[in-house]
Amino acid sequence: SIRERVAPVSDVVPSMFETAEAIVAKHRTRADASPFLMFHDPEYREYDVDVEVCIPVKAHDAKLDTHLLAGAPKAGCITYRGAYEQTPRLYASMLQWLENSGLRIAGPLREVYHRFGADQLGYSLPSHVLASSSAEYVTELQTPVVEHI
């Protein structure tokens, strides 16, 4: 993973993914394992956000400095097709649903990229995970939750 404080709507996040993919290309668990982005700030914002790009790799690979990310026992999830411009609206809807359901955020928000675009400089990915346009993107938003006490 690579973690930085950035403006996620900028070119920095795709660049972080390209760098991470090239570094771990020979160490991926599977070439089609979904990369994801974690938002370490408690709320989704479009500026100055602590983000971490994550690429699944083989466990305990001595050639890489890795860390295990904990799963969440319960999460709210939305999977959608199309451009990333939908993301802020969908996060807002999910957060409203969580509040109405008596749940609260219990960890970093995650965006899992099941089908996406990539430059593939220094690495390659299977064609079935690559989208030729943003209309073909498939993204899953995940919000770890616990019940309000």
Side-chain angles (χ1 to χ4, degrees):
S1 71
I2 298 173
R3 186 172 175 175
E4 292 184 23
R5 185 164 283 284
V6 302
V9 295
S10 73
D11 291 335
V12 175
V13 171
S15 227
M16 290 169 66
F17 271 109
E18 288 295 326
T19 299
E21 287 281 9
I23 291 169
V24 304
K26 295 177 184 173
H27 308 279
R28 295 280 308 254
T29 53
R30 299 183 336 257
D32 63 347
S34 297
F36 59 99
L37 179 65
M38 294 179 61
F39 292 88
H40 291 281
D41 293 318
E43 293 182 11
Y44 181 86
R45 296 184 310 211
E46 293 189 40
Y47 58 91
D48 190 34
V49 178
D50 181 3
V51 297
E52 184 174 7
V53 299
C54 304
I55 312 296
V57 296
K58 297 172 187 162
H60 309 295
D61 194 317
K63 296 176 184 167
L64 294 172
D65 181 17
T66 63
H67 62 276
L68 181 64
L69 297 173
K74 188 184 279 189
C77 300
I78 296 175
T79 300
Y80 70 93
R81 180 179 294 275
Y84 299 137
E85 287 80 14
Q86 303 172 74
T87 303
R89 178 181 53 78
L90 292 170
Y91 265 130
S93 293
M94 181 167 30
L95 295 176
Q96 184 62 53
W97 177 83
L98 292 173
E99 185 176 317
N100 294 342
S101 299
L103 302 170
R104 66 177 174 82
I105 298 172
L109 306 179
R110 297 180 186 200
E111 290 181 9
V112 182
Y113 305 106
H114 298 296
R115 189 157 181 176
F116 51 93
D119 292 334
Q120 301 185 86
L121 303 175
Y123 69 95
S124 63
L125 295 168
S127 61
H128 70 275
V129 302
L130 296 171
S132 58
S133 73
S134 62
E136 298 176 353
Y137 292 173
V138 177
T139 307
E140 180 180 359
L141 308 178
Q142 301 176 345
T143 305
V145 297
V146 294
E147 292 190 31
H148 260 304
I149 298 177

